[in-house]
Amino acid sequence: MTGSGPDPVCIAAAAGGAAGALPSAARGGPVSHTLSRVARLHRFAAGRRLKEMGLYPGQEFLMMALWDCGPVRQSVLIRELDLDPSTVTKMLQRLEQSGHVRRRPDPDDRRAVLVEATEEGEALRARVEEVWCSLEEHSLTGLTPAERTELTRLLARLEENLCRAAGECGAED
């Protein structure tokens, strides 16, 4: 398109045109581009809903781990959430300040820190589950039960592929 002016598709996208207007297929990777956009939008939608409870995106995963496991060492949360220690520390500081978690020395090893949900943190459980159920339904609006099942199957396959490629799967098949 030399000399013919800017690409109208790119101009429309830059001006806030329709999602997917960027010619990502031309760069090789339309599925990867779509996954990236969907993940970003999903995180944004979850964040908007969680904000109403005073939670930041990602904190619900930490709380879910505590709800499922009970008191655990901070080092276990870091490993299970697969986050940088400083990120988990910051999350815990915010959750502690808001009264949702408490940290205390582990009685079995005073150098280790145990983290547990407080009563206020436990009270968030039903609301967080409601947010995730609502987000799930909103995300899947218009899909038939068969399409939902197929989407879940395909996403699990993608996750497995990416997990293997990253060497994060544990025991390789």
Side-chain angles (χ1 to χ4, degrees):
M1 281 183 71
T2 308
S4 63
D7 184 340
V9 171
C10 291
I11 290 172
L22 289 175
S24 58
R27 291 188 295 275
V31 172
S32 294
H33 285 273
T34 301
L35 277 173
S36 179
R37 288 191 311 271
V38 167
R40 182 181 54 79
L41 289 167
H42 190 271
R43 183 171 172 87
F44 178 77
R48 218 177 44 233
R49 288 169 168 88
L50 292 166
K51 186 177 181 180
E52 296 169 8
M53 285 179 259
L55 293 177
Y56 291 91
Q59 289 179 333
E60 78 276 22
F61 294 114
L62 190 147
M63 294 304 299
M64 288 176 191
L66 294 176
W67 296 328
D68 290 345
C69 302
V72 295
R73 288 185 177 178
Q74 186 167 328
S75 59
V76 171
L77 286 172
I78 290 166
R79 185 175 62 246
E80 291 302 312
L81 296 172
D82 195 26
L83 295 172
D84 185 79
S86 63
T87 301
V88 173
T89 298
K90 182 70 171 176
M91 289 171 77
L92 288 171
Q93 287 170 346
R94 285 182 169 169
L95 287 167
E96 200 169 33
Q97 288 169 357
S98 64
H100 300 306
V101 302
R102 82 177 124 256
R103 292 184 281 184
R104 60 183 167 85
D106 184 336
D108 297 329
D109 181 353
R110 306 285 291 169
R111 296 169 295 167
V113 175
L114 281 180
V115 181
E116 61 188 336
T118 62
E119 285 185 34
E120 292 87 355
E122 290 289 343
L124 289 176
R125 186 178 198 156
R127 291 177 63 199
V128 168
E129 289 173 359
E130 183 181 305
V131 162
W132 277 93
C133 287
S134 166
L135 184 57
E136 177 97 355
E137 197 52 43
H138 178 75
S139 298
L140 299 175
T141 296
L143 296 182
T144 67
E147 289 171 328
R148 291 174 182 215
T149 299
E150 181 67 0
L151 178 61
T152 302
R153 186 188 71 74
L154 292 171
L155 288 172
R157 172 75 62 84
L158 291 176
E159 180 182 26
E160 183 180 310
N161 291 345
L162 292 169
C163 179
R164 262 200 204 102
E168 298 289 327
C169 294
E172 301 268 338
D173 294 344

